[in-house]
Amino acid sequence: MVETAFNSEQIFEWLSEVADPEIPVLTITDLGIVRDIDCSDGVCVSLTPTYSGCPATEVIEASVVAALEDRGVSDVRIRRVLSPPWTTDWISEEGRNKLRIYGIAPPERRERPIACPRCDSEQTERVSEFGSTACKAAYRCCECREPFEYFKCL
């Protein structure tokens, strides 16, 4: 069987449909963890984990392989890239908007308080440094009284 040649733009488009297993409203391209796609000898996708101990890393890698195999790519390899380390600065603007709509305050490098993703109030308080995953913190809005999570800056 002769495999069809694939290009990196097509592969990236397909990867933009692969959801993050911990925050399914985000894709791996929204997170900015797809660092490179090499189609010169099969397909090699370079991924940077959000942090070295992230339990979703292997699930994401398997999801990438499955998504590409489902599209007819039979020779898929994953290259895990640890340097430079992932940073929340790599989250796309679209990804940040998706987080807000989902009810998670996106990471922001600023000195003012974290805004509530539901009502935009900056009258918020941190309830716990740790949320449902290590990369999030638990917050509460003092205006609308709703709890929410904040995606920590890394």
Side-chain angles (χ1 to χ4, degrees), residues 48-50 81-87 90:
T48 296
T50 54
V81 179
L82 303 178
S83 180
W86 180 81
T87 169
W90 294 357

Side-chain angles (χ1 to χ4, degrees), residues 5-16 37 68 71:
F6 298 98
N7 64 54
S8 58
E9 293 81 18
Q10 180 64 67
I11 298 297
F12 188 85
E13 184 179 318
W14 291 337
L15 294 180
S16 70
I37 299 167
L68 296 181
R71 304 286 182 142

Side-chain angles (χ1 to χ4, degrees), residues 137-153:
Y139 273 73
R140 175 177 36 238
C141 179
C142 300
E143 292 291 319
C144 72
R145 307 301 293 165
E146 288 291 321
F148 66 94
E149 289 188 303
Y150 168 64
F151 200 116
K152 299 177 200 174
C153 285

Side-chain angles (χ1 to χ4, degrees), residues 14-25:
W14 291 337
L15 294 180
S16 70
E17 298 172 10
V18 176
D20 175 68
E22 293 180 326
I23 308 172
V25 70

Side-chain angles (χ1 to χ4, degrees), residues 119-135:
C119 72
D120 286 329
S121 171
E122 290 186 352
Q123 300 300 313
T124 62
E125 60 186 358
R126 186 174 60 213
V127 176
S128 173
E129 183 63 32
F130 302 99
S132 61
T133 61
C135 58

Side-chain angles (χ1 to χ4, degrees), residues 58-141:
E58 290 166 354
V59 173
I60 290 169
E61 291 172 352
S63 295
V64 166
V65 171
L68 296 181
E69 287 178 345
D70 287 349
R71 304 286 182 142
V73 184
S74 61
D75 183 9
V76 181
R77 293 177 317 285
I78 302 296
R79 181 173 159 256
R80 197 177 293 180
V81 179
L82 303 178
S83 180
W86 180 81
T87 169
T88 51
D89 294 340
W90 294 357
I91 299 175
S92 70
E93 201 55 45
E94 182 178 352
R96 292 170 190 280
N97 289 332
K98 287 178 180 178
L99 282 169
R100 266 187 219 93
I101 292 167
Y102 194 65
I104 298 173
E108 296 187 41
R109 298 193 187 279
R110 61 183 185 167
E111 295 301 317
R112 58 185 216 222
I114 304 305
C116 174
R118 292 180 176 81
C119 72
D120 286 329
S121 171
E122 290 186 352
Q123 300 300 313
T124 62
E125 60 186 358
R126 186 174 60 213
V127 176
S128 173
E129 183 63 32
F130 302 99
S132 61
T133 61
C135 58
K136 293 183 287 221
Y139 273 73
R140 175 177 36 238
C141 179

